[in-house]
Amino acid sequence: MPVVLALVLAALPVGRAGAQQTAPATGGVLLPSSGYGPVTEVTTSPQPTAASTAPGSAPATPGGAYTSPRPRAAGTPGATYETYSTQRYSPATTRPARIILPSGAILEPLPTATETTTPGAGAPAPSAPPEGDGATATGPGEGSSAEGIEGGVVERVRVSGNQRIERATVESYLLLREGDRFDPLRMDRSLKELFATGLFSDVEVRREGNELVVEVEENPVINRLVFEGNSKIEDDKLQEEIDLRPRVVYTRTKVQNAVRRISTLYQRSGRFAARVEPKIIRLDQNRVDLVFEIDEGEVTGIKKINFIGNTEFSDFRLKGVIATKETAWWRILSSNDTYDPDRLAFDRDALRRFYLNNGYADFSVISAVAELAPDKSGFFVTFTVEEGKQYTIGRVEVNSQIEEIDRDLIQNEILVQPGEIYDGEEVEKSVDEITDRVGELGYAFVDIRPRTLRDRENREVHVVFQIAEAPRVFIERINIVGNTRTLDRVIRREFRLVEGDAFNTAKLQRTETRIDNLGFFEEVELRNRPGSRPDLTVIEVEVKEQPTGEFSLGAGFSSGSGALGQIGIRERNFLGRGQDVRANFTISQRNSAIDVGFTEPYFLDRDVSAGFDLFLTQQDFDDESSFEQNSVGLTLRLAYNLSERIRHGLNYTLRRDDIEGTEIFLSPIIRRQEGERSTSSISHFISYDTRDSRQNTTRGWFATLSNTLAGLGGGERFIRSEIRGGYYYPFDQDWIGLIRASAGNVFGFGGRTVRITNRFFVGGDNLRGFEPAGIGPRDLLFDDALGGNQSFTGTLQLEFPTPVPDELGVKGRIFSDFGLLTEIDEIDPNIVDAGSLRASAGIGVSWDSPFGPISVDLGRAILKEDHDELETFRVSFGTRF
């Protein structure tokens, strides 16, 4: 039987049209037409015993499509497999002969819509309305005409063929009722109304005597909807894209629309070779199971990007401007190398903005066309541009209708000057600067529009900043939305404005920065809208909560220390009150520690943070200095703001340190420091911070000075000072430069020397490429690091975007670290203290993964001493909850 089936199928012609489409001149895509395959139908009608051919039937039409009898779901024995075309035909007309296989299954060729006729009329039937299932409705009965229909009264309306749909529902769409006169126009409109419902695959309205006869064939109802063959796009996403659902009326038009939308969805993901074939399985009670068989195909990438008409900028430079990229092996995690019409439209705008920012005010993109290769292996994208001439800035003027505004003050905020190359982006930034400056004066809804007057003869652009009249505005109300966990008062206390204050843009921006610096929210957006009066405004704060609990893991590897790790638990927004609770547990081959802390950011409802730390640590410095340190202590903390940018803090620490040698042969310098000592110290810090964000800094600088005085009791006497700072500069979007430095000094007094636990150590995180405590004074005889009383470290770093999609949060960096560590109180012939500068360079990558931040650095020492300890690889990772 399979052999017979295969022979029959092979004899039947199967075709699918595909014509080349031409893109419009203004841009588009040249694609081979995919077409839509036939809808395979599986019915559960009884198995026929002989070929059933209606009288006068025509032979099978060439080009009919057939499918093999392969059921998709359990059906009744003797199921009949039929294939119908997506073209329209009338069930009321004669149909081509069926082919009966030896098994009894029936194969039916596709009928052509052009051959369907009205019974008895001998003329082509009118095309069916769009929502019908392709059936052609018949008009009046055999041999009747419009003249024969007119006249007489409708004595009865007879409805037949309806199964699920009530008779009253069918009659509600008719424009003729019992007692009305027969009217062919109203009969025709009734026919169209019934088809427009989408409930019927075929409708016939005719007159029999004085009866109005309405025969309908209901569309089936979808029992189940199944997607097969899809692995790149989930069922849920496909289901969202189409309008078909279980228990919805099935029509071929809806199926064709669904196929079209599914194909478009795959094309947007770069799979232009995807094929979608719908099939139905007929069930009892006029139900069907609908199956979409999907062949996803391969991703169709961008083979080549070409530019036509560019003379001032090279193809390579313009390729860096647009988002669409050519396919390359390193873009395996990016989708920018696949064709997307929306991205192509974005690229047109990106090119326009690029040329406009470089003075080409007449620039235009004539067309942007993506052509699919005949073998569908990739796209060729071509941008045709007209650059025009370069313009410079002519006159720059300010026209203000607000008399209180000093024009000279506004002039200082303008970033463009006469004689410079015209830059559209700088003009937009000038508008923002003027808006902020005017906003500081209380004008919240000021309208500032730059008018550009183009002088083509002199190639100049004159810019006039027009400031429209606006009232001074006061804050009516502050609304906070999105804080599902954080209490309102935690957010409101960060505001630099309250209800009733005059509107001030600078204070509003500072408020947004302070709320973002809390670290509780993934997104923070402040906007102002008109209030109940023209001189009032409502400030709306919309936040999106993010996980503030942290479960962190730290790991590292070096040739001398091996593996090490740290586990930390922290909640930075305890119970939504903004309180910080943490507990760190260090477990490694060398160290173990417990550190518990608590911070109340607004102690006694004042802008004063207070907290404490309890710690119990055991640190093994055997590899560096051949000793082990056990510490236990308590720290009390207090901090407050002196101004918006300046913060001051005070700490008191009481601790006890026990140093114990771990080697029989121990450096005499460390041997003299063995035993327990207590330290009672008070310290303070003062910091200045202009960074735009503490979490994702892109610009600004900070500086911190701290001093510690030990000697308020206990056995230690020393003064320790440290200063550190950093400067961030955005060279371009996502290209952030960083300069960071720190310096420290410690000395003893009262006849006491500085113990090893209170000295500085350099290496590891603050000097990549060297081990922790890898540089500085060292006892060469026992190879022990001794620390130093004076230290200096610095970093030059450039952070840049990676080829992976931005939403993955992967950033790269190149860095160079440098530093030195010198000076020690002890004198010994085995001590080496070069006091020279060390330096390293390397690369690194950071990934804000779903499990938490992951950072990897590879560093290599450039300036080093023979006795230094080196390290090439460091990694840290963590997760949040």
Side-chain angles (χ1 to χ4, degrees):
M1 182 271 178
V3 176
V4 175
L5 174 62
L7 293 175
V8 173
L9 293 176
L12 298 176
V14 179
R16 181 173 295 181
Q20 188 77 12
Q21 299 177 353
T22 304
T26 56
V29 57
L30 299 175
L31 294 174
S33 176
S34 60
Y36 300 106
V39 181
T40 302
E41 181 178 321
V42 183
T43 66
T44 56
S45 59
Q47 183 174 350
T49 57
S52 175
T53 305
S57 62
T61 303
Y66 302 87
T67 58
S68 60
R70 181 168 60 92
R72 290 286 167 191
T76 60
T80 301
Y81 301 83
E82 300 180 356
T83 301
Y84 298 100
S85 169
T86 55
Q87 297 172 331
R88 293 188 171 93
Y89 68 94
S90 173
T93 64
T94 57
R95 299 177 61 183
R98 297 177 176 181
I99 298 177
I100 303 178
L101 299 179
S103 65
I106 298 177
L107 294 178
E108 185 169 334
L110 296 176
T112 58
T114 57
E115 295 178 353
T116 60
T117 59
T118 303
S127 59
E131 279 298 328
D133 203 23
T136 303
T138 59
E142 292 187 28
S144 63
S145 63
E147 290 78 3
I149 294 177
E150 292 179 343
V153 177
V154 179
E155 296 180 356
R156 181 186 175 195
V157 177
R158 177 155 50 93
V159 178
S160 62
N162 55 312
Q163 299 177 9
R164 300 184 315 274
I165 302 171
E166 297 292 336
R167 169 191 171 94
T169 303
V170 177
E171 291 182 347
S172 67
Y173 292 99
L174 299 177
L175 301 182
L176 288 173
R177 300 287 188 271
E178 293 180 3
D180 293 345
R181 297 185 62 82
F182 281 100
D183 184 349
L185 295 179
R186 294 169 71 182
M187 290 175 63
D188 182 64
R189 289 176 57 191
S190 299
L191 178 73
K192 293 178 179 179
E193 289 288 339
L194 288 170
F195 262 121
T197 63
L199 300 174
F200 309 105
S201 60
D202 186 27
V203 178
E204 182 179 356
V205 179
R206 67 179 183 273
R207 176 179 179 179
E208 292 184 359
N210 289 330
E211 289 187 346
L212 180 65
V213 180
V214 181
E215 290 186 4
V216 297
E217 182 179 331
E218 295 179 358
N219 276 323
V221 172
I222 298 175
N223 175 66
R224 189 171 52 137
L225 187 61
V226 179
F227 300 97
E228 292 185 355
N230 56 307
S231 60
K232 303 302 180 183
I233 301 180
E234 298 294 333
D235 287 4
D236 294 342
K237 192 169 183 64
L238 293 174
Q239 183 67 73
E240 293 174 359
E241 193 68 20
I242 64 177
D243 297 329
L244 295 170
R245 301 284 187 278
R247 296 181 297 279
V248 170
V249 175
Y250 163 88
T251 68
R252 293 176 184 253
T253 302
K254 290 181 179 179
V255 172
Q256 289 176 347
N257 290 336
V259 170
R260 206 172 286 115
R261 298 189 67 164
I262 294 174
S263 299
T264 301
L265 186 63
Y266 273 97
Q267 290 174 5
R268 289 190 179 279
S269 64
R271 297 181 180 273
F272 282 80
R275 287 284 179 258
V276 183
E277 184 177 359
K279 296 187 177 182
I280 62 171
I281 305 170
R282 285 201 175 273
L283 307 174
D284 56 358
Q285 299 179 357
N286 201 20
R287 297 173 301 135
V288 295
D289 284 345
L290 179 58
V291 180
F292 289 98
E293 287 191 351
I294 301 173
D295 179 9
E296 296 182 316
E298 297 296 328
V299 174
T300 308
I302 305 294
K303 275 193 169 184
K304 184 69 175 176
I305 299 176
N306 300 308
F307 294 90
I308 299 176
N310 56 309
T311 58
E312 299 297 331
F313 297 97
S314 66
D315 286 10
F316 178 80
R317 181 69 181 91
L318 296 181
K319 287 179 183 179
V321 173
I322 62 177
T324 302
K325 304 298 180 184
E326 295 176 351
T327 300
W329 64 267
W330 62 82
R331 295 196 175 98
I332 56 176
L333 297 178
S334 174
S335 60
N336 288 345
D337 58 350
T338 60
Y339 171 73
D340 186 341
D342 293 336
R343 189 184 301 121
L344 206 64
F346 173 83
D347 291 338
R348 294 170 64 107
D349 188 60
L351 288 171
R352 185 190 64 81
R353 285 186 280 107
F354 171 75
Y355 271 91
L356 194 61
N357 295 342
N358 285 276
Y360 294 88
D362 296 330
F363 172 82
S364 65
V365 179
I366 298 175
S367 67
V369 177
E371 183 177 2
L372 183 62
D375 59 356
K376 299 185 179 181
S377 59
F379 278 93
F380 294 87
V381 179
T382 303
F383 294 92
T384 303
V385 301
E386 184 177 346
E387 293 179 324
K389 301 298 182 180
Q390 193 177 50
Y391 286 74
T392 59
I393 299 291
R395 301 188 310 274
V396 178
E397 300 176 356
V398 177
N399 184 8
S400 175
Q401 297 181 8
I402 303 177
E403 297 180 358
E404 292 82 359
I405 294 179
D406 185 357
R407 296 188 181 184
D408 294 335
L409 185 66
I410 299 301
Q411 198 77 35
N412 296 331
E413 305 298 329
I414 298 177
L415 304 178
V416 293
Q417 300 298 328
E420 297 179 349
I421 299 297
Y422 176 76
D423 188 337
E425 185 176 2
E426 290 296 304
V427 173
E428 293 177 1
K429 288 182 179 179
S430 297
V431 172
D432 294 338
E433 293 293 331
I434 297 173
T435 302
D436 292 343
R437 187 61 175 164
V438 174
E440 292 177 9
L441 302 177
Y443 297 93
F445 304 108
V446 63
D447 184 15
I448 302 175
R449 297 184 181 182
R451 287 183 54 201
T452 56
L453 305 176
R454 197 176 310 176
D455 184 352
R456 299 182 185 275
E457 182 178 352
N458 297 318
R459 296 183 188 175
E460 290 182 341
V461 176
H462 308 296
V463 183
V464 179
F465 294 94
Q466 291 187 327
I467 305 176
E469 187 176 359
R472 192 182 298 271
V473 176
F474 297 86
I475 298 174
E476 179 181 11
R477 191 171 62 257
I478 297 175
N479 296 331
I480 301 174
V481 295
N483 53 322
T484 56
R485 183 185 179 203
T486 306
L487 301 179
D488 266 22
R489 61 183 176 87
V490 174
I491 301 175
R492 287 184 181 276
R493 65 195 184 192
E494 301 300 326
F495 267 81
R496 304 296 91 181
L497 294 164
V498 296
E499 284 93 344
D501 284 356
F503 181 84
N504 189 299
T505 304
K507 291 183 178 181
L508 197 64
Q509 292 175 347
R510 178 58 182 162
T511 296
E512 185 173 4
T513 301
R514 288 176 62 90
I515 296 175
D516 183 63
N517 285 341
L518 291 174
F520 303 160
F521 309 108
E522 182 180 344
E523 296 176 4
V524 178
E525 182 179 0
L526 269 70
R527 54 180 177 267
N528 57 297
R529 59 178 180 83
S532 58
R533 299 201 311 263
D535 61 340
L536 295 177
T537 182
V538 176
I539 297 177
E540 291 185 347
V541 184
E542 185 174 356
V543 297
K544 182 179 180 181
E545 299 268 10
Q546 71 175 359
T548 54
E550 297 179 4
F551 177 75
S552 60
L553 298 175
F557 179 83
S558 67
S559 57
S561 301
L564 55 92
Q566 182 185 40
I567 300 176
I569 299 177
R570 183 182 181 186
E571 174 54 64
R572 295 178 291 108
N573 188 15
F574 186 63
L575 299 178
R577 301 173 181 272
Q579 298 168 337
D580 190 340
V581 180
R582 61 181 174 82
N584 293 323
F585 306 90
T586 302
I587 302 174
S588 69
Q589 294 174 318
R590 304 172 46 195
N591 303 330
S592 62
I594 299 176
D595 181 9
V596 179
F598 174 82
T599 302
E600 169 56 64
Y602 272 75
F603 185 59
L604 300 178
D605 288 330
R606 296 180 179 273
D607 192 9
V608 176
S609 67
F612 65 87
D613 299 307
L614 298 173
F615 55 89
L616 174 63
T617 64
Q618 179 181 0
Q619 296 176 281
D620 184 359
F621 296 100
D622 181 61
D623 288 341
E624 294 96 342
S625 306
S626 301
F627 74 90
E628 183 180 275
Q629 175 184 345
N630 296 311
S631 303
V632 60
L634 163 71
T635 297
L636 302 177
R637 295 177 278 106
L638 191 71
Y640 51 91
N641 289 327
L642 296 176
S643 70
E644 281 297 319
R645 302 291 185 181
I646 302 176
R647 188 169 179 83
H648 184 251
L650 296 170
N651 298 336
Y652 172 76
T653 301
L654 178 64
R655 61 183 296 163
R656 186 188 67 198
D657 299 305
D658 182 15
I659 294 179
E660 181 180 352
T662 58
E663 301 290 342
I664 298 177
F665 300 101
L666 185 66
S667 170
I669 299 172
I670 299 177
R671 181 77 67 185
R672 289 194 293 267
Q673 298 192 12
E674 282 188 303
E676 289 187 2
R677 289 189 188 179
S678 60
T679 303
S680 176
S681 63
I682 185 171
S683 62
H684 86 105
F685 73 88
I686 186 169
S687 64
Y688 185 85
D689 195 342
T690 67
R691 290 176 291 180
D692 57 349
S693 173
R694 295 177 188 172
Q695 279 73 39
N696 299 298
T697 308
T698 60
R699 64 175 69 246
W701 62 279
F702 73 95
T704 302
L705 171 66
S706 62
N707 303 100
T708 301
L709 171 64
L712 307 177
E716 296 291 335
R717 302 285 189 274
F718 65 85
I719 296 177
R720 178 186 172 111
S721 301
E722 186 175 5
I723 185 172
R724 59 189 180 89
Y727 175 69
Y728 296 83
Y729 181 79
F731 292 98
D732 199 353
Q733 185 177 6
D734 297 328
W735 290 78
I736 311 301
L738 167 63
I739 301 175
R740 184 173 55 208
S742 67
N745 180 67
V746 60
F747 61 91
F749 66 92
R752 302 293 179 87
T753 60
V754 179
R755 209 176 188 199
I756 190 172
T757 56
N758 298 316
R759 296 173 186 157
F760 295 99
F761 288 87
V762 175
D765 289 335
N766 58 2
L767 187 61
R768 289 163 288 190
F770 295 85
E771 284 189 10
I775 71 170
R778 181 176 297 273
D779 189 327
L780 292 180
L781 181 62
F782 299 95
D783 194 26
D784 290 334
L786 304 177
N789 292 352
Q790 296 178 7
S791 71
F792 170 75
T793 62
T795 295
L796 297 176
Q797 180 172 293
L798 177 64
E799 186 179 88
F800 53 86
T802 58
V804 302
D806 294 338
E807 56 268 20
L808 294 181
V810 180
K811 297 181 179 180
R813 58 179 171 269
I814 56 175
F815 63 84
S816 176
D817 292 346
F818 45 92
L820 61 85
L821 183 66
T822 186
E823 293 297 325
I824 190 172
D825 295 336
E826 285 80 359
I827 299 176
D828 191 281
N830 295 319
I831 296 177
V832 58
D833 181 9
S836 60
L837 183 69
R838 272 74 154 189
S840 65
I843 60 175
V845 63
S846 298
W847 177 29
D848 191 8
S849 74
F851 311 102
I854 298 176
S855 179
V856 178
D857 286 305
L858 297 175
R860 183 178 181 86
I862 299 175
L863 299 178
K864 59 183 179 179
E865 298 292 337
D866 294 337
H867 56 270
D868 291 339
E869 299 290 338
L870 307 181
E871 176 185 75
T872 58
F873 175 75
R874 288 191 71 81
V875 59
S876 65
F877 55 92
T879 187
R880 295 178 179 175
F881 60 91

